[in-house]
Amino acid sequence: DAKTTQPTSMDCAEGRAANLPCNHSTISGNEYVYWYRQIHSQGPQYIIHGLKNNETNEMASLIITEDRKSSTLILPHATLRDTAVYYCIVRRSNYKLTFGKGTLLTVNP
Amino acid sequence: GAGVSQTPSNKVTEKGKYVELRCDPISGHTALYWYRQSLGQGPEFLIYFQGTGAADDSGLPNDRFFAVRPEGSVSTLKIQRTERGDSAVYLCASSLNQGDTEAFFGQGTRLTVV
C-alpha cells in the first residue's frame, strides 16, 4: 500500500470546519483512500473512502485532488466529540489496512 | 445489534505466561482481523480470517503468536511465553465479507506483561 503523510496534530474550534490533509504521492491507480478515526480508548471507526471522485456522507466529506496525490477530510461542523486521531490510509481494495500515526485533531470549546 | 466484543478488556500477566484473548465478531461477518497497537502508534495488522481459515497470518511477529477461529465466528488470539514487548492493545475487527469497505473494530484488549 502507498505511504501517506499527515500532520501530527491539528486544532479546530467547536462549530467550525475541520480540514485534515493527507499526502499520498505514490498512490497507484487502483488504490482507494480511506479515512478512519480513533477516539481515545476505543477501536478505530470507519469514516469514508474514495477512489477519484469527491465523496460525502453523514460524517464527513472527502476531497481528492485530480492527480490523486493528496486528499482532505472535511468535518463540516466539528464538535468536542470529534476529538480523535484521524488516519488516512491508501488501500488497494483488499482486506488489510495499513495505519500510520495519523493526525490528532483536538476540537476546542 | 451488538458490535465486535473483545474480552477481557484488560489483562495483566507475568513474563513467560500464556494468554488467550477472545474476539466475538458481529453476527454473520465472515471476515475477521486482528491488529496490535503499541503506545503512540497506529494499529498493525496481525492476521486475517475468511471463515474458519487464516487467509493471511503474515503480520504475526513470531511463532509465539497463534490465532484460531474454529467455527468461523469467535476467534482466539493465543500468545505463548509472553514477553514485556508484547504489551499493547490487541484489536479485533470484522466485516461482512473480504474487501468490504468498512471494518468494524472492537474496543480492544489491553495486555500488560510485567
Side-chain angles (χ1 to χ4, degrees):
Chain A
D1 291 342
K3 180 179 169 58
T4 61
T5 304
Q6 299 178 252
T8 302
S9 63
M10 294 182 64
D11 283 272
C12 177
E14 188 178 18
R16 304 298 294 266
N19 297 279
L20 292 94
C22 179
N23 286 325
H24 31 79
S25 58
T26 59
I27 193 169
S28 299
N30 58 350
E31 290 181 320
Y32 287 76
V33 179
Y34 276 71
W35 284 82
Y36 275 73
R37 74 178 182 183
Q38 188 172 23
I39 295 169
H40 184 61
S41 296
Q42 296 185 20
Q45 176 191 23
Y46 167 83
I47 302 173
I48 199 167
H49 77 285
L51 183 63
K52 295 181 182 178
N53 300 321
N54 298 337
E55 302 288 344
T56 296
N57 63 21
E58 65 279 3
M59 289 183 70
S61 294
L62 174 60
I63 308 299
I64 303 174
T65 58
E66 193 168 342
D67 64 7
R68 302 210 324 121
K69 292 186 177 182
S70 66
S71 61
T72 302
L73 179 75
I74 301 172
L75 307 179
H77 305 286
T79 71
L80 299 179
R81 288 174 294 180
D82 291 323
T83 292
V85 176
Y86 287 77
Y87 297 100
C88 170
I89 299 165
V90 172
R91 179 184 179 195
R92 190 177 295 160
S93 232
N94 61 15
Y95 48 86
K96 188 185 299 187
L97 296 168
T98 302
F99 292 84
K101 292 189 177 183
T103 296
L104 173 60
L105 174 69
T106 303
V107 181
N108 300 304
Chain B
V4 176
S5 175
Q6 293 188 246
T7 53
S9 54
N10 281 283
K11 175 72 177 177
V12 180
T13 191
E14 292 181 347
K15 179 176 176 298
K17 298 290 189 182
Y18 168 82
V19 295
E20 289 189 352
L21 312 179
R22 177 186 169 106
C23 172
D24 282 84
I26 293 172
S27 178
H29 281 196
T30 63
L32 185 144
Y33 321 82
W34 284 97
Y35 287 77
R36 177 169 74 171
Q37 186 170 25
S38 301
L39 195 62
Q41 305 295 318
E44 291 178 290
F45 171 82
L46 294 178
I47 187 170
Y48 156 63
F49 286 90
Q50 181 59 42
T52 60
D56 182 355
D57 64 357
S58 63
L60 294 178
N62 52 59
D63 61 7
R64 295 186 298 105
F65 289 74
F66 189 71
V68 295
R69 194 185 185 200
E71 297 178 358
S73 179
V74 171
S75 177
T76 305
L77 179 65
K78 308 180 180 194
I79 310 175
Q80 299 177 320
R81 304 183 303 281
T82 52
E83 300 178 357
R84 293 198 178 88
D86 299 334
S87 296
V89 175
Y90 289 82
L91 293 160
C92 177
S94 70
S95 61
L96 190 57
N97 295 298
Q98 173 188 337
D100 267 9
T101 56
E102 183 172 0
F104 296 84
F105 282 79
Q107 304 234 49
T109 294
R110 180 175 298 279
L111 176 67
T112 304
V113 181
V114 297

